[in-house]
Every structure is written in structure tokens, then in C-alpha cells.
Amino acid sequence: MRLEAITWERLTEALAEEAAGRTAHDGSPWLRVGIDAAPAARPGELAGRLTDALRLRGRSVQTNSVHGFLRPASLRLEYGRHDPDAYYDEWFDRQALWREVFNPLEPEGSGRVLPDLWDPERDRATRSPYVRLPPGGVLLLHGPLLLGQWFPFDLTVHLGLSEGALKRRTEESERWTLPAFERYEAEVAPREVADVVVRADDPRRPAWGGIGGR
């Protein structure tokens, strides 16, 4: 894929225009957007920019992080604190994401979305109230390992890092997760399946390959 330089501001505007003009592929009145990236690529920052840009366009937005849907420590850490396969397979409660986030946004859904489920610091449920996303609203879900899960996204963005950049930008205490992202590249190939691919090796100078379509 040929990439060209772009600023975060221009990228945000392009994504907001694309999202504002898209309709859900299954006829749902809600649009579901995924921003997929390792934590080192800071997907939450792009999600925040895109949230603001969409709201300026008059769209209601619910922004969720997959880190709000971690599984309890007894399940995440069953094989130890630094097992990359457990991180890949067991850390994120994908069933809860389906139940509490995606199912309510199906064509005949209620629109009642749970912002988060689990507090990893206290290792207990957050007890956050549900949020009702009105028809025409947009769900933004950001975080790692989002693709290849059959989540019904209508637009997907992958913030990619080269192997060297991923290692360099990942905190020392989190480098045990690197094999999980190697596995993700091998099994899911996010650069091939995402609608939008952004190279973020240099956080000041992103590059992208334009917007693909379903």
C-alpha cells in the first residue's frame, strides 16, 4: 500500500466526513466505527479528535475503550501476569462487548450502550449507567486487537506501527505484550482488512493510504 503524509487534523476531518456520509451496512440507524491500535499508537487520542469533529457535525457520539471491558483479574491472569497469549485471547471481554455495546446497536436494537464494565484498578464492576445513543448516532470503539472478531463495524481505522516503532514506543513494563501483536499481524493482518490504514511510527508525522470502502 502506498502511503502519503498527512496531519492528524486533516486525517480527523477526512474520517469525520467519511463517517458522517456512511450508512450502516446492515441497515442499523447507528454507525459503528472501530479505531484499532496497540496502546503505544495512542488510539484514544484519535478517537477523541474524531468524537469532537463528529459532534461539530451534529452527530451524537458514544466513545468507548476496550480497556473498559477487561475481564476480571482471576481470568486475565490465570496463566501469570506476563503471558502474551493470555493477553491476546483472555484479557478483553468480547462477549460483554457484543452483549452490552454491539447487540443494542443492531437494526432493531434499543440503542442503550454500556460505556464500560470493569475497573481493572479495583478489579470490580464499574456500575456505570447505560447511555442511550439516539438514531443517527455514532459508536466509536478504540483499543487493541479489535479486528478479526466479527464485530459489525461500518468503518475501521488501523493505526499501525513498524516492529521497531512498536518496541520503542511501548513502555518497558508492557513489552511482554509484543508477541501478542506479532501474532495479531500474522493471524489477522490488520493492514489488509482495515478500511483506513495509518502509519504512526512518528507520532508527529502520520501517513495514510486513503479511505477504502466496503
Side-chain angles (χ1 to χ4, degrees):
M1 176 183 294
R2 185 174 180 273
L3 301 177
E4 61 180 33
I6 192 170
T7 65
W8 290 112
E9 291 77 15
R10 285 176 50 217
L11 174 64
T12 300
E13 288 300 304
L15 292 175
E17 285 296 310
E18 180 67 19
R22 283 205 178 198
T23 56
H25 66 274
D26 60 359
S28 169
W30 301 281
L31 196 76
R32 296 144 299 194
V33 178
I35 300 179
D36 170 67
R42 306 172 189 168
E45 293 184 6
L46 179 58
R49 293 186 182 102
L50 186 53
T51 296
D52 292 342
L54 286 168
R55 286 175 175 164
L56 285 173
R57 287 164 170 79
R59 302 295 289 270
S60 296
V61 183
Q62 174 58 38
T63 304
N64 282 13
S65 168
V66 296
H67 285 96
F69 289 83
L70 290 172
R71 301 178 79 198
S74 60
L75 299 175
R76 295 198 317 274
L77 309 179
E78 182 178 359
Y79 300 102
R81 292 183 175 276
H82 300 130
D83 187 305
D85 286 324
Y87 178 78
Y88 190 95
D89 293 319
E90 305 293 341
W91 271 51
F92 301 100
D93 195 339
R94 297 179 177 102
Q95 290 185 347
L97 281 167
W98 273 105
R99 183 180 67 249
E100 305 291 359
V101 178
F102 289 109
N103 288 348
L105 300 182
E106 291 181 345
E108 303 299 325
S110 66
R112 292 178 69 249
V113 174
L114 192 65
D116 50 51
L117 178 66
W118 200 257
D119 181 345
E121 297 297 326
R122 299 182 179 182
D123 197 35
R124 67 184 187 188
T126 59
R127 303 185 185 279
S128 296
Y130 285 88
V131 174
R132 188 175 294 277
L133 190 62
V138 180
L139 168 75
L140 280 181
L141 180 65
H142 63 87
L145 311 175
L146 283 182
L147 305 179
Q149 303 295 329
W150 300 101
F151 291 147
F153 290 120
D154 303 297
L155 178 66
T156 53
V157 182
H158 173 68
L159 302 182
L161 298 172
S162 66
E163 183 178 352
L166 178 60
K167 183 176 182 179
R168 183 174 65 253
R169 293 180 58 186
T170 299
E171 295 183 11
E172 184 73 32
S173 62
E174 301 299 322
R175 288 185 180 173
W176 63 270
T177 64
L178 295 179
F181 292 105
E182 293 177 10
R183 179 180 166 191
Y184 187 54
E185 290 288 339
E187 295 184 4
V188 177
R191 291 176 177 83
E192 297 179 16
V193 301
D195 296 315
V196 181
V197 174
V198 181
R199 176 60 68 87
D201 286 4
D202 184 339
R204 299 165 299 177
R205 299 180 179 88
W208 77 325
I211 297 175
R214 281 195 171 92

Tab-separated table of all heavy atoms in Angstrom, residues 100-143:
chain	number	residue	atom	x	y	z
A	100	GLU	N	-23.270	-5.814	25.466
A	100	GLU	CA	-23.552	-4.500	26.036
A	100	GLU	C	-23.329	-3.337	25.068
A	100	GLU	O	-23.764	-2.219	25.346
A	100	GLU	CB	-22.689	-4.274	27.286
A	100	GLU	CG	-22.817	-5.346	28.347
A	100	GLU	CD	-24.172	-5.346	29.042
A	100	GLU	OE1	-25.016	-4.496	28.715
A	100	GLU	OE2	-24.389	-6.205	29.919
A	101	VAL	N	-22.643	-3.589	23.955
A	101	VAL	CA	-22.314	-2.499	23.036
A	101	VAL	C	-22.878	-2.751	21.637
A	101	VAL	O	-23.570	-1.895	21.084
A	101	VAL	CB	-20.784	-2.282	22.967
A	101	VAL	CG1	-20.439	-1.178	21.963
A	101	VAL	CG2	-20.235	-1.921	24.346
A	102	PHE	N	-22.592	-3.907	21.062
A	102	PHE	CA	-22.975	-4.127	19.671
A	102	PHE	C	-24.419	-4.593	19.500
A	102	PHE	O	-25.125	-4.105	18.612
A	102	PHE	CB	-22.011	-5.114	19.002
A	102	PHE	CG	-20.660	-4.525	18.760
A	102	PHE	CD1	-19.561	-4.942	19.492
A	102	PHE	CD2	-20.482	-3.533	17.805
A	102	PHE	CE1	-18.311	-4.393	19.272
A	102	PHE	CE2	-19.230	-2.973	17.582
A	102	PHE	CZ	-18.140	-3.407	18.312
A	103	ASN	N	-24.868	-5.529	20.312
A	103	ASN	CA	-26.250	-6.001	20.152
A	103	ASN	C	-27.282	-4.885	20.283
A	103	ASN	O	-28.267	-4.852	19.531
A	103	ASN	CB	-26.548	-7.124	21.149
A	103	ASN	CG	-25.857	-8.428	20.793
A	103	ASN	OD1	-25.333	-8.570	19.686
A	103	ASN	ND2	-25.839	-9.375	21.712
A	104	PRO	N	-27.106	-3.933	21.227
A	104	PRO	CA	-28.088	-2.846	21.309
A	104	PRO	C	-28.095	-1.920	20.089
A	104	PRO	O	-29.021	-1.116	19.940
A	104	PRO	CB	-27.650	-2.072	22.566
A	104	PRO	CG	-26.881	-3.055	23.371
A	104	PRO	CD	-26.167	-3.899	22.375
A	105	LEU	N	-27.061	-2.017	19.249
A	105	LEU	CA	-26.982	-1.147	18.071
A	105	LEU	C	-27.290	-1.900	16.781
A	105	LEU	O	-26.989	-1.416	15.689
A	105	LEU	CB	-25.592	-0.494	17.994
A	105	LEU	CG	-25.208	0.366	19.202
A	105	LEU	CD1	-23.838	0.991	18.990
A	105	LEU	CD2	-26.255	1.445	19.484
A	106	GLU	N	-27.902	-3.074	16.908
A	106	GLU	CA	-28.396	-3.776	15.730
A	106	GLU	C	-29.631	-3.056	15.191
A	106	GLU	O	-30.194	-2.189	15.875
A	106	GLU	CB	-28.717	-5.224	16.094
A	106	GLU	CG	-27.477	-6.051	16.393
A	106	GLU	CD	-27.803	-7.493	16.725
A	106	GLU	OE1	-28.996	-7.788	16.996
A	106	GLU	OE2	-26.878	-8.324	16.734
A	107	PRO	N	-30.063	-3.387	13.978
A	107	PRO	CA	-31.169	-2.635	13.381
A	107	PRO	C	-32.397	-2.470	14.269
A	107	PRO	O	-33.032	-1.422	14.257
A	107	PRO	CB	-31.482	-3.449	12.115
A	107	PRO	CG	-30.163	-4.019	11.726
A	107	PRO	CD	-29.479	-4.348	13.024
A	108	GLU	N	-32.751	-3.478	15.039
A	108	GLU	CA	-33.923	-3.372	15.913
A	108	GLU	C	-33.526	-3.216	17.375
A	108	GLU	O	-34.320	-3.497	18.273
A	108	GLU	CB	-34.808	-4.615	15.754
A	108	GLU	CG	-35.281	-4.870	14.335
A	108	GLU	CD	-36.114	-3.724	13.794
A	108	GLU	OE1	-36.855	-3.106	14.576
A	108	GLU	OE2	-36.006	-3.447	12.580
A	109	GLY	N	-32.303	-2.745	17.606
A	109	GLY	CA	-31.794	-2.650	18.964
A	109	GLY	C	-32.361	-1.468	19.738
A	109	GLY	O	-33.042	-0.597	19.190
A	110	SER	N	-32.024	-1.436	21.022
A	110	SER	CA	-32.548	-0.400	21.913
A	110	SER	C	-31.736	0.891	21.876
A	110	SER	O	-32.226	1.939	22.296
A	110	SER	CB	-32.558	-0.921	23.356
A	110	SER	OG	-31.218	-1.136	23.812
A	111	GLY	N	-30.474	0.809	21.438
A	111	GLY	CA	-29.594	1.973	21.485
A	111	GLY	C	-28.988	2.229	22.853
A	111	GLY	O	-28.235	3.190	23.027
A	112	ARG	N	-29.274	1.352	23.837
A	112	ARG	CA	-28.737	1.524	25.201
A	112	ARG	C	-27.378	0.832	25.299
A	112	ARG	O	-27.295	-0.388	25.305
A	112	ARG	CB	-29.683	0.951	26.246
A	112	ARG	CG	-30.980	1.711	26.378
A	112	ARG	CD	-31.900	1.067	27.405
A	112	ARG	NE	-31.409	1.183	28.774
A	112	ARG	CZ	-30.970	0.170	29.503
A	112	ARG	NH1	-30.922	-1.054	29.015
A	112	ARG	NH2	-30.567	0.371	30.740
A	113	VAL	N	-26.330	1.638	25.373
A	113	VAL	CA	-24.958	1.146	25.338
A	113	VAL	C	-24.311	1.337	26.704
A	113	VAL	O	-24.489	2.375	27.347
A	113	VAL	CB	-24.152	1.897	24.255
A	113	VAL	CG1	-22.684	1.508	24.290
A	113	VAL	CG2	-24.735	1.632	22.877
A	114	LEU	N	-23.551	0.341	27.129
A	114	LEU	CA	-22.809	0.461	28.381
A	114	LEU	C	-21.436	1.061	28.084
A	114	LEU	O	-20.687	0.521	27.266
A	114	LEU	CB	-22.649	-0.914	29.032
A	114	LEU	CG	-22.148	-0.924	30.482
A	114	LEU	CD1	-23.168	-0.254	31.401
A	114	LEU	CD2	-21.883	-2.359	30.940
A	115	PRO	N	-21.066	2.174	28.721
A	115	PRO	CA	-19.774	2.810	28.425
A	115	PRO	C	-18.573	1.964	28.840
A	115	PRO	O	-17.534	1.989	28.188
A	115	PRO	CB	-19.816	4.121	29.220
A	115	PRO	CG	-21.257	4.349	29.521
A	115	PRO	CD	-21.871	2.998	29.640
A	116	ASP	N	-18.691	1.277	29.954
A	116	ASP	CA	-17.613	0.414	30.439
A	116	ASP	C	-18.207	-0.575	31.431
A	116	ASP	O	-19.323	-0.399	31.913
A	116	ASP	CB	-16.477	1.219	31.078
A	116	ASP	CG	-16.973	2.223	32.111
A	116	ASP	OD1	-17.730	1.826	33.010
A	116	ASP	OD2	-16.614	3.404	32.007
A	117	LEU	N	-17.435	-1.621	31.700
A	117	LEU	CA	-17.956	-2.704	32.533
A	117	LEU	C	-17.084	-3.009	33.726
A	117	LEU	O	-17.594	-3.307	34.809
A	117	LEU	CB	-18.103	-3.963	31.673
A	117	LEU	CG	-18.599	-5.228	32.370
A	117	LEU	CD1	-20.037	-5.042	32.848
A	117	LEU	CD2	-18.506	-6.428	31.433
A	118	TRP	N	-15.756	-2.946	33.548
A	118	TRP	CA	-14.865	-3.435	34.591
A	118	TRP	C	-13.764	-2.436	34.894
A	118	TRP	O	-13.143	-1.884	33.982
A	118	TRP	CB	-14.238	-4.766	34.167
A	118	TRP	CG	-13.715	-5.568	35.325
A	118	TRP	CD1	-12.415	-5.707	35.718
A	118	TRP	CD2	-14.489	-6.327	36.264
A	118	TRP	NE1	-12.339	-6.494	36.829
A	118	TRP	CE2	-13.584	-6.901	37.178
A	118	TRP	CE3	-15.864	-6.580	36.399
A	118	TRP	CZ2	-14.027	-7.710	38.236
A	118	TRP	CZ3	-16.285	-7.375	37.436
A	118	TRP	CH2	-15.379	-7.940	38.336
A	119	ASP	N	-13.530	-2.188	36.164
A	119	ASP	CA	-12.450	-1.315	36.629
A	119	ASP	C	-11.253	-2.188	36.986
A	119	ASP	O	-11.281	-2.888	38.009
A	119	ASP	CB	-12.916	-0.529	37.859
A	119	ASP	CG	-11.850	0.424	38.384
A	119	ASP	OD1	-10.676	0.291	37.997
A	119	ASP	OD2	-12.192	1.289	39.194
A	120	PRO	N	-10.183	-2.189	36.174
A	120	PRO	CA	-9.057	-3.080	36.449
A	120	PRO	C	-8.265	-2.689	37.690
A	120	PRO	O	-7.602	-3.535	38.291
A	120	PRO	CB	-8.191	-2.963	35.190
A	120	PRO	CG	-8.541	-1.630	34.619
A	120	PRO	CD	-9.979	-1.412	34.943
A	121	GLU	N	-8.323	-1.428	38.074
A	121	GLU	CA	-7.582	-0.990	39.261
A	121	GLU	C	-8.212	-1.569	40.532
A	121	GLU	O	-7.516	-2.087	41.408
A	121	GLU	CB	-7.548	0.534	39.336
A	121	GLU	CG	-6.831	1.200	38.183
A	121	GLU	CD	-5.367	0.842	38.128
A	121	GLU	OE1	-4.760	0.657	39.211
A	121	GLU	OE2	-4.827	0.726	37.013
A	122	ARG	N	-9.531	-1.500	40.622
A	122	ARG	CA	-10.234	-2.044	41.791
A	122	ARG	C	-10.674	-3.484	41.585
A	122	ARG	O	-11.122	-4.131	42.528
A	122	ARG	CB	-11.445	-1.170	42.110
A	122	ARG	CG	-11.077	0.276	42.457
A	122	ARG	CD	-12.320	1.071	42.797
A	122	ARG	NE	-12.000	2.451	43.158
A	122	ARG	CZ	-12.893	3.347	43.533
A	122	ARG	NH1	-14.177	3.011	43.602
A	122	ARG	NH2	-12.521	4.576	43.845
A	123	ASP	N	-10.563	-3.946	40.342
A	123	ASP	CA	-10.968	-5.300	39.956
A	123	ASP	C	-12.411	-5.581	40.381
A	123	ASP	O	-12.713	-6.566	41.051
A	123	ASP	CB	-10.013	-6.351	40.536
A	123	ASP	CG	-10.153	-7.690	39.814
A	123	ASP	OD1	-10.393	-7.684	38.599
A	123	ASP	OD2	-10.026	-8.741	40.466
A	124	ARG	N	-13.271	-4.698	39.940
A	124	ARG	CA	-14.693	-4.883	40.193
A	124	ARG	C	-15.497	-4.122	39.144
A	124	ARG	O	-14.950	-3.290	38.412
A	124	ARG	CB	-15.076	-4.406	41.595
A	124	ARG	CG	-14.965	-2.918	41.808
A	124	ARG	CD	-15.265	-2.566	43.260
A	124	ARG	NE	-15.334	-1.133	43.473
A	124	ARG	CZ	-15.432	-0.570	44.661
A	124	ARG	NH1	-15.462	-1.333	45.765
A	124	ARG	NH2	-15.500	0.745	44.779
A	125	ALA	N	-16.774	-4.421	39.059
A	125	ALA	CA	-17.631	-3.767	38.065
A	125	ALA	C	-17.663	-2.258	38.295
A	125	ALA	O	-17.660	-1.782	39.440
A	125	ALA	CB	-19.041	-4.341	38.150
A	126	THR	N	-17.701	-1.512	37.203
A	126	THR	CA	-17.729	-0.053	37.318
A	126	THR	C	-19.098	0.476	37.735
A	126	THR	O	-19.198	1.569	38.267
A	126	THR	CB	-17.365	0.588	35.963
A	126	THR	OG1	-18.291	0.150	34.963
A	126	THR	CG2	-15.953	0.214	35.552
A	127	ARG	N	-20.146	-0.285	37.423
A	127	ARG	CA	-21.529	0.130	37.692
A	127	ARG	C	-21.893	1.425	36.965
A	127	ARG	O	-22.717	2.227	37.442
A	127	ARG	CB	-21.782	0.272	39.205
A	127	ARG	CG	-21.481	-0.998	39.998
A	127	ARG	CD	-21.866	-0.848	41.460
A	127	ARG	NE	-21.460	-2.006	42.228
A	127	ARG	CZ	-22.123	-3.156	42.293
A	127	ARG	NH1	-23.253	-3.288	41.585
A	127	ARG	NH2	-21.684	-4.163	43.021
A	128	SER	N	-21.277	1.661	35.820
A	128	SER	CA	-21.621	2.846	35.020
A	128	SER	C	-23.042	2.707	34.480
A	128	SER	O	-23.464	1.614	34.094
A	128	SER	CB	-20.642	2.997	33.857
A	128	SER	OG	-19.338	3.248	34.326
A	129	PRO	N	-23.789	3.800	34.423
A	129	PRO	CA	-25.147	3.732	33.863
A	129	PRO	C	-25.092	3.587	32.346
A	129	PRO	O	-24.135	4.006	31.691
A	129	PRO	CB	-25.745	5.081	34.265
A	129	PRO	CG	-24.577	5.994	34.391
A	129	PRO	CD	-23.450	5.148	34.921
A	130	TYR	N	-26.138	3.007	31.795
A	130	TYR	CA	-26.251	2.898	30.349
A	130	TYR	C	-26.446	4.283	29.735
A	130	TYR	O	-26.989	5.190	30.362
A	130	TYR	CB	-27.424	1.998	29.967
A	130	TYR	CG	-27.156	0.529	30.180
A	130	TYR	CD1	-27.416	-0.065	31.418
A	130	TYR	CD2	-26.645	-0.251	29.156
A	130	TYR	CE1	-27.164	-1.422	31.621
A	130	TYR	CE2	-26.395	-1.604	29.344
A	130	TYR	CZ	-26.658	-2.183	30.578
A	130	TYR	OH	-26.400	-3.508	30.772
A	131	VAL	N	-26.004	4.405	28.497
A	131	VAL	CA	-26.182	5.631	27.724
A	131	VAL	C	-27.029	5.290	26.508
A	131	VAL	O	-26.756	4.318	25.805
A	131	VAL	CB	-24.824	6.201	27.274
A	131	VAL	CG1	-25.033	7.400	26.354
A	131	VAL	CG2	-23.983	6.582	28.480
A	132	ARG	N	-28.068	6.066	26.258
A	132	ARG	CA	-28.916	5.814	25.094
A	132	ARG	C	-28.412	6.645	23.916
A	132	ARG	O	-28.434	7.870	23.959
A	132	ARG	CB	-30.375	6.137	25.389
A	132	ARG	CG	-31.310	5.701	24.251
A	132	ARG	CD	-32.760	5.916	24.613
A	132	ARG	NE	-33.195	5.070	25.711
A	132	ARG	CZ	-33.584	3.795	25.578
A	132	ARG	NH1	-33.554	3.231	24.376
A	132	ARG	NH2	-33.973	3.100	26.624
A	133	LEU	N	-27.925	5.975	22.910
A	133	LEU	CA	-27.438	6.652	21.704
A	133	LEU	C	-28.610	6.823	20.745
A	133	LEU	O	-29.236	5.839	20.335
A	133	LEU	CB	-26.332	5.810	21.065
A	133	LEU	CG	-25.526	6.439	19.931
A	133	LEU	CD1	-24.782	7.673	20.436
A	133	LEU	CD2	-24.548	5.429	19.351
A	134	PRO	N	-28.951	8.050	20.385
A	134	PRO	CA	-30.125	8.248	19.524
A	134	PRO	C	-29.862	7.756	18.107
A	134	PRO	O	-28.705	7.661	17.675
A	134	PRO	CB	-30.326	9.770	19.560
A	134	PRO	CG	-28.982	10.318	19.853
A	134	PRO	CD	-28.314	9.330	20.761
A	135	PRO	N	-30.908	7.426	17.357
A	135	PRO	CA	-30.728	7.053	15.956
A	135	PRO	C	-29.939	8.134	15.218
A	135	PRO	O	-30.142	9.332	15.432
A	135	PRO	CB	-32.164	6.948	15.439
A	135	PRO	CG	-32.967	6.592	16.658
A	135	PRO	CD	-32.327	7.345	17.788
A	136	GLY	N	-29.035	7.698	14.364
A	136	GLY	CA	-28.140	8.627	13.694
A	136	GLY	C	-26.848	8.840	14.445
A	136	GLY	O	-25.928	9.496	13.935
A	137	GLY	N	-26.762	8.294	15.660
A	137	GLY	CA	-25.550	8.435	16.453
A	137	GLY	C	-24.442	7.499	15.998
A	137	GLY	O	-24.649	6.580	15.204
A	138	VAL	N	-23.259	7.749	16.538
A	138	VAL	CA	-22.062	7.006	16.146
A	138	VAL	C	-21.413	6.402	17.379
A	138	VAL	O	-21.194	7.096	18.381
A	138	VAL	CB	-21.042	7.927	15.436
A	138	VAL	CG1	-19.790	7.139	15.026
A	138	VAL	CG2	-21.669	8.586	14.214
A	139	LEU	N	-21.115	5.115	17.306
A	139	LEU	CA	-20.288	4.471	18.317
A	139	LEU	C	-18.842	4.501	17.845
A	139	LEU	O	-18.536	4.096	16.722
A	139	LEU	CB	-20.709	3.012	18.521
A	139	LEU	CG	-19.718	2.176	19.342
A	139	LEU	CD1	-19.804	2.522	20.819
A	139	LEU	CD2	-19.910	0.690	19.106
A	140	LEU	N	-17.938	4.987	18.706
A	140	LEU	CA	-16.501	4.919	18.449
A	140	LEU	C	-15.894	3.979	19.489
A	140	LEU	O	-15.903	4.281	20.684
A	140	LEU	CB	-15.859	6.299	18.578
A	140	LEU	CG	-15.977	7.273	17.407
A	140	LEU	CD1	-15.252	8.574	17.750
A	140	LEU	CD2	-15.405	6.682	16.143
A	141	LEU	N	-15.376	2.849	19.051
A	141	LEU	CA	-14.709	1.902	19.943
A	141	LEU	C	-13.239	1.875	19.584
A	141	LEU	O	-12.879	1.650	18.421
A	141	LEU	CB	-15.318	0.507	19.797
A	141	LEU	CG	-14.701	-0.589	20.672
A	141	LEU	CD1	-14.935	-0.306	22.156
A	141	LEU	CD2	-15.258	-1.954	20.288
A	142	HIS	N	-12.377	2.109	20.567
A	142	HIS	CA	-10.944	2.160	20.280
A	142	HIS	C	-10.172	1.245	21.212
A	142	HIS	O	-10.584	0.992	22.348
A	142	HIS	CB	-10.417	3.597	20.384
A	142	HIS	CG	-10.520	4.209	21.752
A	142	HIS	ND1	-9.546	4.060	22.713
A	142	HIS	CD2	-11.482	4.979	22.329
A	142	HIS	CE1	-9.892	4.722	23.800
A	142	HIS	NE2	-11.069	5.282	23.597
A	143	GLY	N	-9.044	0.757	20.712
A	143	GLY	CA	-8.194	-0.099	21.517
A	143	GLY	C	-7.507	-1.160	20.679
A	143	GLY	O	-7.625	-1.190	19.450
